[in-house]
Structure formats: C-alpha cells, structure tokens
Amino acid sequence: MHVKSQNTNAKTDLQQIAVFLLLAFLLPLVCALILANASIPEALSLILFGLEAATPSLAAILVVLLFSSRSGLRSWFRKCYIDQIDVRLILFGLLLPAVFIPVSKLLSWPTTGIAPVPGLISPKKMLIVCWALVAEELGWRGFLQDRLQPYFSSRTLPLLLGLIWAAWHYHFYLANELPVPLFLFVFGCIADSYLYYACTKAAKGNIVPVSILHFSENLFLNIWLINPQNNNGSITPYLVYVALFALTAILAFVALERKQAKLHS
C-alpha cells in the first residue's frame, strides 16, 4: 500500500512537471507571436511583454490550481512568501549585485575604455525590472525546484534547473533581446541556479530572498550597463560579473552541503 502511494505521488509529480514545462515554454511563444504584430498599441505591448516574462509563475499557479485546490494554492503561497522570512538573506540578495556588478565594470575599465559611470533608468524600464520580483521565481524555485528535488541530487538539480531556465529564454533570444553571448548567458544561468538553490534551501523554501536577488541583478545590470553593446563590444565586464557570481555560488553551495552534512551526522 505504501509503495502504491509512493508510485501515485511520483506519477502526479511528473504530470505536474510536464504540464508546467509545457505551459512555461509555450505561453511565451504565443505572447511573442502576438508582439511580432507591429500594429499593437504600446500599452497592450507592455502588458503582453509582462505576461511573457511572467509565464513561469503563471504556469506554476495554473498547475497548482489544476492538481490541488484554492487551499493548496494558499498554503503554497504562504510557504513561498510568508513562512521562514530571513532578513539577512533578503539583504544578501539585494546587496550582492549592488556590489559585484559595479566592481565588474570597474575591473574591466582598462580593457573596455568605458568609465564605470551609472546610467539612468526610464520609468518603463524600472517597471519591467520590478516585475522580476514576481515574474519567474515562483515558477522556477517555488515550484519546479521542489517538484524535481526527490528525483535528483542537490548537486545535479541546480545544473538541470539552470539549463531549463536558460532554455526558457529562447523567446527573448529569438527576438534579439539577449545582448550577450549565448554560452556566457547559459553559464550565468547555471551559476545563478546553484546560488539561488543554496539561498532557497537556507530560507527553508521561502523564495523572497531569491526574488530580491533576481530583481537586484536586473536592476544593477541596467544601471551599470555591462553588456557588450555598451562596452565597445567587449564581453569582459559581463564575463567578470558571471565569474564573481559563479565563485559566490560555489562558496554558498559548499557551505550548504557542510551544513546539511552536520545535520545528518
């Protein structure tokens, strides 16, 4: 009976994962195809872009409602956003990009010839940046990471999730909205995935710190302009940024593994 229950739960998990991935990957394509119509009003275009960017979270909400109930949705929201709030992790998520991204620009100054001077963000761009607080992490870390956890080790899961996360950006890549080399972007997603995994585990499933981290990365990337197109075509600022985050991810992940080893010893 216990084995049968486990098999049923595994089947349900796999069904949820499959439906989530289908929605998360197909919904952006629908939005992108509509956005390709040049006659769309700007306000509608902005709404569609917001929906396109939020498809991971929207897909997760739809799947939870489909396979659970409204009460299940409420308890899931509580786990992701209310329980186990850790102010230190939130500050970590906010401050890490605020330090590392301008440092990347500064260290690259001799090779790019571009002084590390912050830029201004338009209200429209700031709205898009703030949307990162809710658009993706509910889906990636709040839903998919938890559903995949029973089937993969802690070392393998962030790698897989990072690859899925990078692949999901295909619609931005096709629309020419990823102005960095693809290999660097994929590596950055994988490095971030390990760091986000460690933060989520440290927060006991609460995704507020990683949502803040995601937002902060997007914010300071737009302020300091480290993409090649803003640095005479040089990938050095973005490369330094990815390297710093990769190093932090390694340190955070090692610290997490040591903590878990102590708990199980």
Side-chain angles (χ1 to χ4, degrees), residues 154-188:
S154 59
R155 294 184 179 183
T156 305
L157 178 53
L159 172 62
L160 175 62
L161 192 52
L163 290 171
I164 294 172
W165 188 20
W168 172 81
H169 287 81
Y170 75 93
H171 49 105
F172 292 131
Y173 185 77
L174 292 175
N176 238 6
E177 292 171 359
L178 283 180
V180 295
L182 185 59
F183 78 94
L184 258 185
F185 180 76
V186 173
F187 183 77

PDB file of all heavy atoms in Angstrom, residues 154-188:
ATOM      1  N   SER A 154      21.292  17.068  -4.818  1.00  0.00           N
ATOM      2  CA  SER A 154      21.437  18.514  -4.646  1.00  0.00           C
ATOM      3  C   SER A 154      22.515  19.086  -5.557  1.00  0.00           C
ATOM      4  O   SER A 154      22.519  20.282  -5.849  1.00  0.00           O
ATOM      5  CB  SER A 154      21.766  18.846  -3.186  1.00  0.00           C
ATOM      6  OG  SER A 154      22.973  18.211  -2.797  1.00  0.00           O
ATOM      7  N   ARG A 155      23.438  18.237  -6.017  1.00  0.00           N
ATOM      8  CA  ARG A 155      24.486  18.711  -6.926  1.00  0.00           C
ATOM      9  C   ARG A 155      24.012  18.747  -8.379  1.00  0.00           C
ATOM     10  O   ARG A 155      24.469  19.578  -9.163  1.00  0.00           O
ATOM     11  CB  ARG A 155      25.728  17.821  -6.806  1.00  0.00           C
ATOM     12  CG  ARG A 155      26.412  17.918  -5.451  1.00  0.00           C
ATOM     13  CD  ARG A 155      27.684  17.101  -5.414  1.00  0.00           C
ATOM     14  NE  ARG A 155      28.343  17.216  -4.117  1.00  0.00           N
ATOM     15  CZ  ARG A 155      29.502  16.658  -3.810  1.00  0.00           C
ATOM     16  NH1 ARG A 155      30.148  15.928  -4.722  1.00  0.00           N
ATOM     17  NH2 ARG A 155      30.031  16.813  -2.620  1.00  0.00           N
ATOM     18  N   THR A 156      23.108  17.846  -8.711  1.00  0.00           N
ATOM     19  CA  THR A 156      22.642  17.752 -10.095  1.00  0.00           C
ATOM     20  C   THR A 156      21.464  18.680 -10.380  1.00  0.00           C
ATOM     21  O   THR A 156      21.370  19.249 -11.470  1.00  0.00           O
ATOM     22  CB  THR A 156      22.222  16.299 -10.406  1.00  0.00           C
ATOM     23  OG1 THR A 156      23.297  15.425 -10.104  1.00  0.00           O
ATOM     24  CG2 THR A 156      21.845  16.143 -11.876  1.00  0.00           C
ATOM     25  N   LEU A 157      20.585  18.838  -9.407  1.00  0.00           N
ATOM     26  CA  LEU A 157      19.354  19.598  -9.612  1.00  0.00           C
ATOM     27  C   LEU A 157      19.597  21.043 -10.060  1.00  0.00           C
ATOM     28  O   LEU A 157      18.967  21.497 -11.030  1.00  0.00           O
ATOM     29  CB  LEU A 157      18.495  19.566  -8.346  1.00  0.00           C
ATOM     30  CG  LEU A 157      17.189  20.370  -8.381  1.00  0.00           C
ATOM     31  CD1 LEU A 157      16.335  19.993  -9.582  1.00  0.00           C
ATOM     32  CD2 LEU A 157      16.407  20.176  -7.086  1.00  0.00           C
ATOM     33  N   PRO A 158      20.490  21.801  -9.410  1.00  0.00           N
ATOM     34  CA  PRO A 158      20.707  23.179  -9.886  1.00  0.00           C
ATOM     35  C   PRO A 158      21.236  23.247 -11.320  1.00  0.00           C
ATOM     36  O   PRO A 158      20.906  24.183 -12.059  1.00  0.00           O
ATOM     37  CB  PRO A 158      21.730  23.741  -8.888  1.00  0.00           C
ATOM     38  CG  PRO A 158      21.581  22.895  -7.667  1.00  0.00           C
ATOM     39  CD  PRO A 158      21.249  21.533  -8.174  1.00  0.00           C
ATOM     40  N   LEU A 159      22.044  22.256 -11.704  1.00  0.00           N
ATOM     41  CA  LEU A 159      22.552  22.211 -13.083  1.00  0.00           C
ATOM     42  C   LEU A 159      21.403  22.036 -14.062  1.00  0.00           C
ATOM     43  O   LEU A 159      21.290  22.773 -15.055  1.00  0.00           O
ATOM     44  CB  LEU A 159      23.557  21.074 -13.234  1.00  0.00           C
ATOM     45  CG  LEU A 159      24.034  20.771 -14.665  1.00  0.00           C
ATOM     46  CD1 LEU A 159      24.747  21.976 -15.259  1.00  0.00           C
ATOM     47  CD2 LEU A 159      24.929  19.535 -14.671  1.00  0.00           C
ATOM     48  N   LEU A 160      20.526  21.068 -13.771  1.00  0.00           N
ATOM     49  CA  LEU A 160      19.378  20.820 -14.639  1.00  0.00           C
ATOM     50  C   LEU A 160      18.458  22.034 -14.691  1.00  0.00           C
ATOM     51  O   LEU A 160      18.029  22.467 -15.775  1.00  0.00           O
ATOM     52  CB  LEU A 160      18.604  19.601 -14.138  1.00  0.00           C
ATOM     53  CG  LEU A 160      17.301  19.274 -14.875  1.00  0.00           C
ATOM     54  CD1 LEU A 160      17.579  18.940 -16.333  1.00  0.00           C
ATOM     55  CD2 LEU A 160      16.573  18.118 -14.186  1.00  0.00           C
ATOM     56  N   LEU A 161      18.183  22.600 -13.530  1.00  0.00           N
ATOM     57  CA  LEU A 161      17.282  23.756 -13.473  1.00  0.00           C
ATOM     58  C   LEU A 161      17.893  24.963 -14.182  1.00  0.00           C
ATOM     59  O   LEU A 161      17.183  25.721 -14.863  1.00  0.00           O
ATOM     60  CB  LEU A 161      16.965  24.099 -12.012  1.00  0.00           C
ATOM     61  CG  LEU A 161      15.828  25.087 -11.749  1.00  0.00           C
ATOM     62  CD1 LEU A 161      14.561  24.654 -12.469  1.00  0.00           C
ATOM     63  CD2 LEU A 161      15.558  25.218 -10.263  1.00  0.00           C
ATOM     64  N   GLY A 162      19.210  25.119 -14.064  1.00  0.00           N
ATOM     65  CA  GLY A 162      19.878  26.211 -14.760  1.00  0.00           C
ATOM     66  C   GLY A 162      19.777  26.079 -16.267  1.00  0.00           C
ATOM     67  O   GLY A 162      19.570  27.070 -16.982  1.00  0.00           O
ATOM     68  N   LEU A 163      19.896  24.846 -16.769  1.00  0.00           N
ATOM     69  CA  LEU A 163      19.771  24.606 -18.213  1.00  0.00           C
ATOM     70  C   LEU A 163      18.343  24.859 -18.693  1.00  0.00           C
ATOM     71  O   LEU A 163      18.126  25.450 -19.764  1.00  0.00           O
ATOM     72  CB  LEU A 163      20.202  23.175 -18.542  1.00  0.00           C
ATOM     73  CG  LEU A 163      21.703  22.885 -18.400  1.00  0.00           C
ATOM     74  CD1 LEU A 163      21.968  21.385 -18.536  1.00  0.00           C
ATOM     75  CD2 LEU A 163      22.504  23.666 -19.442  1.00  0.00           C
ATOM     76  N   ILE A 164      17.360  24.407 -17.896  1.00  0.00           N
ATOM     77  CA  ILE A 164      15.955  24.655 -18.240  1.00  0.00           C
ATOM     78  C   ILE A 164      15.669  26.152 -18.229  1.00  0.00           C
ATOM     79  O   ILE A 164      15.014  26.684 -19.141  1.00  0.00           O
ATOM     80  CB  ILE A 164      15.015  23.918 -17.257  1.00  0.00           C
ATOM     81  CG1 ILE A 164      15.149  22.407 -17.416  1.00  0.00           C
ATOM     82  CG2 ILE A 164      13.560  24.345 -17.473  1.00  0.00           C
ATOM     83  CD1 ILE A 164      14.398  21.604 -16.357  1.00  0.00           C
ATOM     84  N   TRP A 165      16.171  26.818 -17.220  1.00  0.00           N
ATOM     85  CA  TRP A 165      15.987  28.267 -17.075  1.00  0.00           C
ATOM     86  C   TRP A 165      16.579  29.008 -18.268  1.00  0.00           C
ATOM     87  O   TRP A 165      15.954  29.902 -18.843  1.00  0.00           O
ATOM     88  CB  TRP A 165      16.639  28.707 -15.770  1.00  0.00           C
ATOM     89  CG  TRP A 165      16.398  30.118 -15.349  1.00  0.00           C
ATOM     90  CD1 TRP A 165      15.402  30.949 -15.757  1.00  0.00           C
ATOM     91  CD2 TRP A 165      17.178  30.858 -14.403  1.00  0.00           C
ATOM     92  NE1 TRP A 165      15.503  32.164 -15.123  1.00  0.00           N
ATOM     93  CE2 TRP A 165      16.583  32.140 -14.288  1.00  0.00           C
ATOM     94  CE3 TRP A 165      18.294  30.563 -13.632  1.00  0.00           C
ATOM     95  CZ2 TRP A 165      17.106  33.118 -13.443  1.00  0.00           C
ATOM     96  CZ3 TRP A 165      18.800  31.537 -12.788  1.00  0.00           C
ATOM     97  CH2 TRP A 165      18.216  32.793 -12.699  1.00  0.00           C
ATOM     98  N   ALA A 166      17.791  28.621 -18.652  1.00  0.00           N
ATOM     99  CA  ALA A 166      18.439  29.256 -19.805  1.00  0.00           C
ATOM    100  C   ALA A 166      17.646  28.987 -21.086  1.00  0.00           C
ATOM    101  O   ALA A 166      17.431  29.893 -21.906  1.00  0.00           O
ATOM    102  CB  ALA A 166      19.867  28.750 -19.950  1.00  0.00           C
ATOM    103  N   ALA A 167      17.198  27.724 -21.254  1.00  0.00           N
ATOM    104  CA  ALA A 167      16.445  27.359 -22.459  1.00  0.00           C
ATOM    105  C   ALA A 167      15.127  28.122 -22.547  1.00  0.00           C
ATOM    106  O   ALA A 167      14.666  28.469 -23.643  1.00  0.00           O
ATOM    107  CB  ALA A 167      16.192  25.856 -22.469  1.00  0.00           C
ATOM    108  N   TRP A 168      14.516  28.399 -21.393  1.00  0.00           N
ATOM    109  CA  TRP A 168      13.236  29.121 -21.388  1.00  0.00           C
ATOM    110  C   TRP A 168      13.364  30.505 -22.014  1.00  0.00           C
ATOM    111  O   TRP A 168      12.404  31.030 -22.579  1.00  0.00           O
ATOM    112  CB  TRP A 168      12.722  29.255 -19.949  1.00  0.00           C
ATOM    113  CG  TRP A 168      11.516  30.138 -19.836  1.00  0.00           C
ATOM    114  CD1 TRP A 168      10.213  29.815 -20.080  1.00  0.00           C
ATOM    115  CD2 TRP A 168      11.517  31.537 -19.474  1.00  0.00           C
ATOM    116  NE1 TRP A 168       9.402  30.913 -19.884  1.00  0.00           N
ATOM    117  CE2 TRP A 168      10.174  31.970 -19.519  1.00  0.00           C
ATOM    118  CE3 TRP A 168      12.514  32.433 -19.120  1.00  0.00           C
ATOM    119  CZ2 TRP A 168       9.817  33.286 -19.217  1.00  0.00           C
ATOM    120  CZ3 TRP A 168      12.166  33.741 -18.828  1.00  0.00           C
ATOM    121  CH2 TRP A 168      10.822  34.152 -18.876  1.00  0.00           C
ATOM    122  N   HIS A 169      14.541  31.092 -21.977  1.00  0.00           N
ATOM    123  CA  HIS A 169      14.752  32.427 -22.541  1.00  0.00           C
ATOM    124  C   HIS A 169      14.813  32.428 -24.072  1.00  0.00           C
ATOM    125  O   HIS A 169      15.126  33.457 -24.671  1.00  0.00           O
ATOM    126  CB  HIS A 169      16.052  33.037 -21.992  1.00  0.00           C
ATOM    127  CG  HIS A 169      15.961  33.474 -20.562  1.00  0.00           C
ATOM    128  ND1 HIS A 169      16.096  32.585 -19.505  1.00  0.00           N
ATOM    129  CD2 HIS A 169      15.747  34.707 -20.005  1.00  0.00           C
ATOM    130  CE1 HIS A 169      15.974  33.245 -18.360  1.00  0.00           C
ATOM    131  NE2 HIS A 169      15.760  34.515 -18.629  1.00  0.00           N
ATOM    132  N   TYR A 170      14.491  31.291 -24.698  1.00  0.00           N
ATOM    133  CA  TYR A 170      14.595  31.182 -26.155  1.00  0.00           C
ATOM    134  C   TYR A 170      13.816  32.289 -26.869  1.00  0.00           C
ATOM    135  O   TYR A 170      14.235  32.803 -27.916  1.00  0.00           O
ATOM    136  CB  TYR A 170      14.087  29.809 -26.628  1.00  0.00           C
ATOM    137  CG  TYR A 170      12.583  29.663 -26.612  1.00  0.00           C
ATOM    138  CD1 TYR A 170      11.813  29.940 -27.744  1.00  0.00           C
ATOM    139  CD2 TYR A 170      11.916  29.251 -25.458  1.00  0.00           C
ATOM    140  CE1 TYR A 170      10.433  29.817 -27.726  1.00  0.00           C
ATOM    141  CE2 TYR A 170      10.542  29.137 -25.436  1.00  0.00           C
ATOM    142  CZ  TYR A 170       9.803  29.415 -26.566  1.00  0.00           C
ATOM    143  OH  TYR A 170       8.431  29.314 -26.541  1.00  0.00           O
ATOM    144  N   HIS A 171      12.661  32.665 -26.323  1.00  0.00           N
ATOM    145  CA  HIS A 171      11.817  33.661 -26.985  1.00  0.00           C
ATOM    146  C   HIS A 171      12.455  35.048 -26.947  1.00  0.00           C
ATOM    147  O   HIS A 171      12.302  35.834 -27.886  1.00  0.00           O
ATOM    148  CB  HIS A 171      10.412  33.693 -26.349  1.00  0.00           C
ATOM    149  CG  HIS A 171      10.415  33.772 -24.860  1.00  0.00           C
ATOM    150  ND1 HIS A 171      10.125  34.931 -24.182  1.00  0.00           N
ATOM    151  CD2 HIS A 171      10.678  32.823 -23.908  1.00  0.00           C
ATOM    152  CE1 HIS A 171      10.194  34.705 -22.876  1.00  0.00           C
ATOM    153  NE2 HIS A 171      10.537  33.435 -22.688  1.00  0.00           N
ATOM    154  N   PHE A 172      13.194  35.350 -25.874  1.00  0.00           N
ATOM    155  CA  PHE A 172      13.934  36.610 -25.832  1.00  0.00           C
ATOM    156  C   PHE A 172      15.115  36.557 -26.803  1.00  0.00           C
ATOM    157  O   PHE A 172      15.452  37.555 -27.442  1.00  0.00           O
ATOM    158  CB  PHE A 172      14.442  36.893 -24.418  1.00  0.00           C
ATOM    159  CG  PHE A 172      13.349  37.184 -23.425  1.00  0.00           C
ATOM    160  CD1 PHE A 172      13.315  36.543 -22.193  1.00  0.00           C
ATOM    161  CD2 PHE A 172      12.353  38.105 -23.708  1.00  0.00           C
ATOM    162  CE1 PHE A 172      12.315  36.809 -21.274  1.00  0.00           C
ATOM    163  CE2 PHE A 172      11.341  38.386 -22.797  1.00  0.00           C
ATOM    164  CZ  PHE A 172      11.322  37.731 -21.569  1.00  0.00           C
ATOM    165  N   TYR A 173      15.737  35.393 -26.892  1.00  0.00           N
ATOM    166  CA  TYR A 173      16.875  35.230 -27.802  1.00  0.00           C
ATOM    167  C   TYR A 173      16.425  35.397 -29.259  1.00  0.00           C
ATOM    168  O   TYR A 173      17.079  36.090 -30.045  1.00  0.00           O
ATOM    169  CB  TYR A 173      17.506  33.859 -27.584  1.00  0.00           C
ATOM    170  CG  TYR A 173      18.769  33.627 -28.381  1.00  0.00           C
ATOM    171  CD1 TYR A 173      19.982  34.193 -27.988  1.00  0.00           C
ATOM    172  CD2 TYR A 173      18.763  32.839 -29.530  1.00  0.00           C
ATOM    173  CE1 TYR A 173      21.147  33.984 -28.706  1.00  0.00           C
ATOM    174  CE2 TYR A 173      19.919  32.624 -30.261  1.00  0.00           C
ATOM    175  CZ  TYR A 173      21.109  33.207 -29.838  1.00  0.00           C
ATOM    176  OH  TYR A 173      22.247  33.008 -30.558  1.00  0.00           O
ATOM    177  N   LEU A 174      15.290  34.783 -29.599  1.00  0.00           N
ATOM    178  CA  LEU A 174      14.772  34.887 -30.968  1.00  0.00           C
ATOM    179  C   LEU A 174      14.370  36.322 -31.318  1.00  0.00           C
ATOM    180  O   LEU A 174      14.442  36.736 -32.475  1.00  0.00           O
ATOM    181  CB  LEU A 174      13.571  33.944 -31.147  1.00  0.00           C
ATOM    182  CG  LEU A 174      13.878  32.443 -31.098  1.00  0.00           C
ATOM    183  CD1 LEU A 174      12.592  31.629 -31.160  1.00  0.00           C
ATOM    184  CD2 LEU A 174      14.812  32.043 -32.235  1.00  0.00           C
ATOM    185  N   ALA A 175      13.950  37.064 -30.288  1.00  0.00           N
ATOM    186  CA  ALA A 175      13.543  38.460 -30.506  1.00  0.00           C
ATOM    187  C   ALA A 175      14.726  39.421 -30.398  1.00  0.00           C
ATOM    188  O   ALA A 175      14.547  40.633 -30.396  1.00  0.00           O
ATOM    189  CB  ALA A 175      12.469  38.852 -29.491  1.00  0.00           C
ATOM    190  N   ASN A 176      15.938  38.871 -30.295  1.00  0.00           N
ATOM    191  CA  ASN A 176      17.162  39.694 -30.222  1.00  0.00           C
ATOM    192  C   ASN A 176      17.209  40.534 -28.959  1.00  0.00           C
ATOM    193  O   ASN A 176      17.730  41.657 -28.978  1.00  0.00           O
ATOM    194  CB  ASN A 176      17.274  40.608 -31.439  1.00  0.00           C
ATOM    195  CG  ASN A 176      18.553  40.369 -32.213  1.00  0.00           C
ATOM    196  OD1 ASN A 176      19.309  39.455 -31.903  1.00  0.00           O
ATOM    197  ND2 ASN A 176      18.798  41.191 -33.198  1.00  0.00           N
ATOM    198  N   GLU A 177      16.675  40.018 -27.851  1.00  0.00           N
ATOM    199  CA  GLU A 177      16.631  40.769 -26.600  1.00  0.00           C
ATOM    200  C   GLU A 177      17.584  40.208 -25.556  1.00  0.00           C
ATOM    201  O   GLU A 177      17.469  40.521 -24.373  1.00  0.00           O
ATOM    202  CB  GLU A 177      15.196  40.800 -26.065  1.00  0.00           C
ATOM    203  CG  GLU A 177      14.251  41.617 -26.940  1.00  0.00           C
ATOM    204  CD  GLU A 177      12.798  41.483 -26.534  1.00  0.00           C
ATOM    205  OE1 GLU A 177      12.526  40.735 -25.583  1.00  0.00           O
ATOM    206  OE2 GLU A 177      11.943  42.105 -27.185  1.00  0.00           O
ATOM    207  N   LEU A 178      18.537  39.371 -25.988  1.00  0.00           N
ATOM    208  CA  LEU A 178      19.595  38.873 -25.104  1.00  0.00           C
ATOM    209  C   LEU A 178      20.934  39.321 -25.687  1.00  0.00           C
ATOM    210  O   LEU A 178      21.553  38.594 -26.465  1.00  0.00           O
ATOM    211  CB  LEU A 178      19.543  37.342 -24.993  1.00  0.00           C
ATOM    212  CG  LEU A 178      18.468  36.751 -24.094  1.00  0.00           C
ATOM    213  CD1 LEU A 178      18.559  35.232 -24.095  1.00  0.00           C
ATOM    214  CD2 LEU A 178      18.577  37.275 -22.672  1.00  0.00           C
ATOM    215  N   PRO A 179      21.395  40.503 -25.317  1.00  0.00           N
ATOM    216  CA  PRO A 179      22.579  41.092 -25.955  1.00  0.00           C
ATOM    217  C   PRO A 179      23.908  40.604 -25.376  1.00  0.00           C
ATOM    218  O   PRO A 179      24.843  41.370 -25.218  1.00  0.00           O
ATOM    219  CB  PRO A 179      22.388  42.587 -25.692  1.00  0.00           C
ATOM    220  CG  PRO A 179      21.683  42.632 -24.379  1.00  0.00           C
ATOM    221  CD  PRO A 179      20.797  41.413 -24.336  1.00  0.00           C
ATOM    222  N   VAL A 180      23.985  39.319 -25.003  1.00  0.00           N
ATOM    223  CA  VAL A 180      25.234  38.733 -24.509  1.00  0.00           C
ATOM    224  C   VAL A 180      25.460  37.410 -25.233  1.00  0.00           C
ATOM    225  O   VAL A 180      24.503  36.781 -25.705  1.00  0.00           O
ATOM    226  CB  VAL A 180      25.199  38.509 -22.986  1.00  0.00           C
ATOM    227  CG1 VAL A 180      25.115  39.831 -22.247  1.00  0.00           C
ATOM    228  CG2 VAL A 180      24.046  37.608 -22.586  1.00  0.00           C
ATOM    229  N   PRO A 181      26.719  36.952 -25.344  1.00  0.00           N
ATOM    230  CA  PRO A 181      26.985  35.665 -25.986  1.00  0.00           C
ATOM    231  C   PRO A 181      26.198  34.543 -25.313  1.00  0.00           C
ATOM    232  O   PRO A 181      26.102  34.488 -24.082  1.00  0.00           O
ATOM    233  CB  PRO A 181      28.490  35.482 -25.808  1.00  0.00           C
ATOM    234  CG  PRO A 181      29.024  36.869 -25.656  1.00  0.00           C
ATOM    235  CD  PRO A 181      27.958  37.644 -24.940  1.00  0.00           C
ATOM    236  N   LEU A 182      25.664  33.642 -26.115  1.00  0.00           N
ATOM    237  CA  LEU A 182      24.797  32.584 -25.598  1.00  0.00           C
ATOM    238  C   LEU A 182      25.509  31.709 -24.574  1.00  0.00           C
ATOM    239  O   LEU A 182      24.934  31.355 -23.540  1.00  0.00           O
ATOM    240  CB  LEU A 182      24.270  31.736 -26.757  1.00  0.00           C
ATOM    241  CG  LEU A 182      23.242  30.658 -26.395  1.00  0.00           C
ATOM    242  CD1 LEU A 182      22.022  31.270 -25.738  1.00  0.00           C
ATOM    243  CD2 LEU A 182      22.846  29.869 -27.645  1.00  0.00           C
ATOM    244  N   PHE A 183      26.770  31.355 -24.834  1.00  0.00           N
ATOM    245  CA  PHE A 183      27.487  30.468 -23.910  1.00  0.00           C
ATOM    246  C   PHE A 183      27.663  31.125 -22.541  1.00  0.00           C
ATOM    247  O   PHE A 183      27.572  30.459 -21.502  1.00  0.00           O
ATOM    248  CB  PHE A 183      28.836  30.054 -24.499  1.00  0.00           C
ATOM    249  CG  PHE A 183      29.921  31.100 -24.399  1.00  0.00           C
ATOM    250  CD1 PHE A 183      30.808  31.110 -23.330  1.00  0.00           C
ATOM    251  CD2 PHE A 183      30.044  32.089 -25.367  1.00  0.00           C
ATOM    252  CE1 PHE A 183      31.795  32.079 -23.233  1.00  0.00           C
ATOM    253  CE2 PHE A 183      31.031  33.055 -25.286  1.00  0.00           C
ATOM    254  CZ  PHE A 183      31.911  33.059 -24.203  1.00  0.00           C
ATOM    255  N   LEU A 184      27.893  32.460 -22.538  1.00  0.00           N
ATOM    256  CA  LEU A 184      28.044  33.170 -21.269  1.00  0.00           C
ATOM    257  C   LEU A 184      26.718  33.253 -20.528  1.00  0.00           C
ATOM    258  O   LEU A 184      26.661  33.129 -19.304  1.00  0.00           O
ATOM    259  CB  LEU A 184      28.567  34.582 -21.522  1.00  0.00           C
ATOM    260  CG  LEU A 184      30.049  34.846 -21.274  1.00  0.00           C
ATOM    261  CD1 LEU A 184      30.367  36.314 -21.468  1.00  0.00           C
ATOM    262  CD2 LEU A 184      30.484  34.371 -19.911  1.00  0.00           C
ATOM    263  N   PHE A 185      25.660  33.458 -21.287  1.00  0.00           N
ATOM    264  CA  PHE A 185      24.330  33.543 -20.675  1.00  0.00           C
ATOM    265  C   PHE A 185      23.947  32.215 -20.029  1.00  0.00           C
ATOM    266  O   PHE A 185      23.459  32.180 -18.896  1.00  0.00           O
ATOM    267  CB  PHE A 185      23.288  33.937 -21.722  1.00  0.00           C
ATOM    268  CG  PHE A 185      21.896  34.039 -21.166  1.00  0.00           C
ATOM    269  CD1 PHE A 185      21.516  35.132 -20.410  1.00  0.00           C
ATOM    270  CD2 PHE A 185      20.966  33.029 -21.381  1.00  0.00           C
ATOM    271  CE1 PHE A 185      20.239  35.222 -19.877  1.00  0.00           C
ATOM    272  CE2 PHE A 185      19.690  33.109 -20.855  1.00  0.00           C
ATOM    273  CZ  PHE A 185      19.320  34.209 -20.094  1.00  0.00           C
ATOM    274  N   VAL A 186      24.186  31.103 -20.744  1.00  0.00           N
ATOM    275  CA  VAL A 186      23.855  29.774 -20.209  1.00  0.00           C
ATOM    276  C   VAL A 186      24.681  29.489 -18.968  1.00  0.00           C
ATOM    277  O   VAL A 186      24.153  29.023 -17.950  1.00  0.00           O
ATOM    278  CB  VAL A 186      24.076  28.686 -21.278  1.00  0.00           C
ATOM    279  CG1 VAL A 186      23.894  27.293 -20.664  1.00  0.00           C
ATOM    280  CG2 VAL A 186      23.114  28.875 -22.441  1.00  0.00           C
ATOM    281  N   PHE A 187      25.975  29.781 -19.028  1.00  0.00           N
ATOM    282  CA  PHE A 187      26.834  29.555 -17.862  1.00  0.00           C
ATOM    283  C   PHE A 187      26.372  30.407 -16.685  1.00  0.00           C
ATOM    284  O   PHE A 187      26.369  29.956 -15.533  1.00  0.00           O
ATOM    285  CB  PHE A 187      28.289  29.874 -18.208  1.00  0.00           C
ATOM    286  CG  PHE A 187      29.241  29.593 -17.075  1.00  0.00           C
ATOM    287  CD1 PHE A 187      29.636  28.303 -16.779  1.00  0.00           C
ATOM    288  CD2 PHE A 187      29.726  30.632 -16.288  1.00  0.00           C
ATOM    289  CE1 PHE A 187      30.499  28.037 -15.721  1.00  0.00           C
ATOM    290  CE2 PHE A 187      30.589  30.382 -15.230  1.00  0.00           C
ATOM    291  CZ  PHE A 187      30.978  29.082 -14.953  1.00  0.00           C
ATOM    292  N   GLY A 188      25.967  31.656 -16.977  1.00  0.00           N
ATOM    293  CA  GLY A 188      25.469  32.530 -15.921  1.00  0.00           C
ATOM    294  C   GLY A 188      24.198  32.001 -15.276  1.00  0.00           C
ATOM    295  O   GLY A 188      24.029  32.079 -14.059  1.00  0.00           O
TER     296      GLY A 188
END
